[in-house]
Amino acid sequence: LSSYMAQYDARCLGLPLSQMHSIGYPRNDAILNQSVDFKSVFNCQDADNIIYWLPTFRQHKANGQVHSNIAMPILHNEKIAMQVNDCARKCKVLIVVKPHPSQDISKIKQMNLSNLRFIDTAYLTELNLNNYTLLGSSDALLTDYSSVYYDYLLANKPIGLCWEDFDEYKRLEGFAVDTDRLMAGGEKIYSADDLQTFIQHIAEGEDILNQERNAICDLVHDFKDNQSAKRTVDFIEKSCFN
């Protein structure tokens, strides 16, 4: 994404810094140049704002891999989910949640809630949509430790970070970056009350970390256009065929 982020990529991949090339991620082009009508897709005509929630992987439903003792942040039971849904409904905010494909949240998905919708990859495929098209069309992002946080900085819209299991995730999985510095652009959410406050901020048009987020965006992204796919193709052609 940038010459600054290259140091972390090089360390994680075990490669020299000289092999890192900043050209941007092609997937991010969709954030800047595509949009979809959320209200029609999710049949929620009363919603004024859309929050797209992408929780990161915590527990693998097949191989037993565990990065945290919770499956889904904040929404630990039906009662809390109903409270969050009620807040979202009153604020005219639709929250679309797409859990990690390996995460087992079957019990949560069974709940039939008006303003808290759960989807999966098959749902997007059926509608010929993808995550990044929806990201570009949303009014805010909810995530936690996912790299989608960096991608969404390009949208220049509010971000909420569900950090209730931060200490445990740090102990079990760890972080490659300085989270205090790079993730200062997201509102930290540790409880259902915090989540409802974030929902209210979105409904009221409050973007309390705009300044911090833009400063981090300057650090994380060398390019803020929708030309990363072209740069990637040009780089491959130049490297392989010249």
Side-chain angles (χ1 to χ4, degrees):
L1 291 181
S2 70
S3 54
Y4 177 83
M5 295 298 284
Q7 61 181 311
Y8 299 111
D9 292 327
R11 189 184 310 154
C12 289
L13 295 170
L15 295 172
L17 193 60
S18 60
Q19 287 187 248
M20 300 292 106
H21 300 277
S22 172
I23 52 180
Y25 291 168
R27 69 189 186 192
N28 289 342
D29 289 355
I31 295 178
L32 298 170
N33 62 10
Q34 294 188 37
S35 63
V36 64
D37 184 356
F38 261 97
K39 291 185 179 183
S40 297
V41 170
F42 297 102
N43 191 26
C44 192
Q45 301 303 318
D46 292 336
D48 291 334
N49 292 279
I50 309 293
I51 298 174
Y52 196 26
W53 190 349
L54 293 171
T56 197
F57 165 75
R58 284 174 165 79
Q59 300 171 353
H60 200 290
K61 59 187 176 185
N63 67 16
Q65 190 177 4
V66 176
H67 294 164
S68 172
N69 66 357
I70 62 174
M72 175 80 190
I74 310 299
L75 306 180
H76 299 303
N77 55 57
E78 187 173 354
K79 181 181 178 181
I80 294 175
M82 290 177 67
Q83 288 174 349
V84 171
N85 181 75
D86 189 50
C87 173
R89 181 180 54 78
K90 291 177 180 177
C91 290
K92 294 187 176 183
V93 171
L94 175 65
I95 304 174
V96 178
V97 189
K98 185 180 181 296
H100 190 280
S102 298
Q103 191 72 57
D104 184 6
I105 61 152
S106 53
K107 291 183 179 179
I108 299 175
K109 285 179 69 175
Q110 289 172 2
M111 290 185 288
N112 186 22
L113 299 170
S114 62
N115 289 59
L116 190 59
R117 310 281 184 85
F118 291 86
I119 63 172
D120 55 20
T121 301
Y123 184 90
L124 294 180
T125 302
E126 184 179 340
L127 295 173
N128 196 29
L129 296 173
N130 61 64
N131 270 338
Y132 285 78
T133 302
L134 294 188
L135 282 169
S137 308
S138 65
D139 298 297
L141 169 70
L142 264 176
T143 187
D144 32 65
Y145 320 119
S146 171
S147 62
V148 74
Y149 162 81
Y150 303 112
D151 299 337
Y152 199 72
L153 291 171
L154 291 170
N156 192 24
K157 297 173 183 176
I159 301 173
L161 299 175
C162 299
W163 272 21
E164 65 170 311
D165 59 345
F166 178 85
D167 290 337
E168 183 180 34
Y169 194 94
K170 183 177 181 179
R171 177 176 61 85
L172 294 175
E173 177 64 7
F175 297 100
V177 302
D178 180 352
T179 54
D180 288 339
R181 182 181 189 186
L182 289 182
M183 304 191 86
E187 289 186 51
K188 305 307 185 295
I189 297 168
Y190 298 97
S191 66
D193 287 343
D194 291 342
L195 177 53
Q196 291 176 74
T197 297
F198 180 73
I199 293 169
Q200 290 165 358
H201 285 165
I202 302 308
E204 294 165 5
E206 292 188 42
D207 188 359
I208 65 174
L209 292 177
N210 177 268
Q211 228 174 357
E212 292 87 343
R213 201 177 56 246
N214 284 329
I216 296 166
C217 187
D218 289 340
L219 198 63
V220 169
H221 293 281
D222 283 348
F223 304 96
K224 299 178 184 178
D225 56 21
N226 61 350
Q227 299 297 307
S228 291
K230 182 181 185 304
R231 273 188 296 273
T232 301
V233 172
D234 290 346
F235 177 80
I236 293 172
E237 288 183 338
K238 181 179 178 181
S239 302
C240 299
F241 303 112
N242 288 345

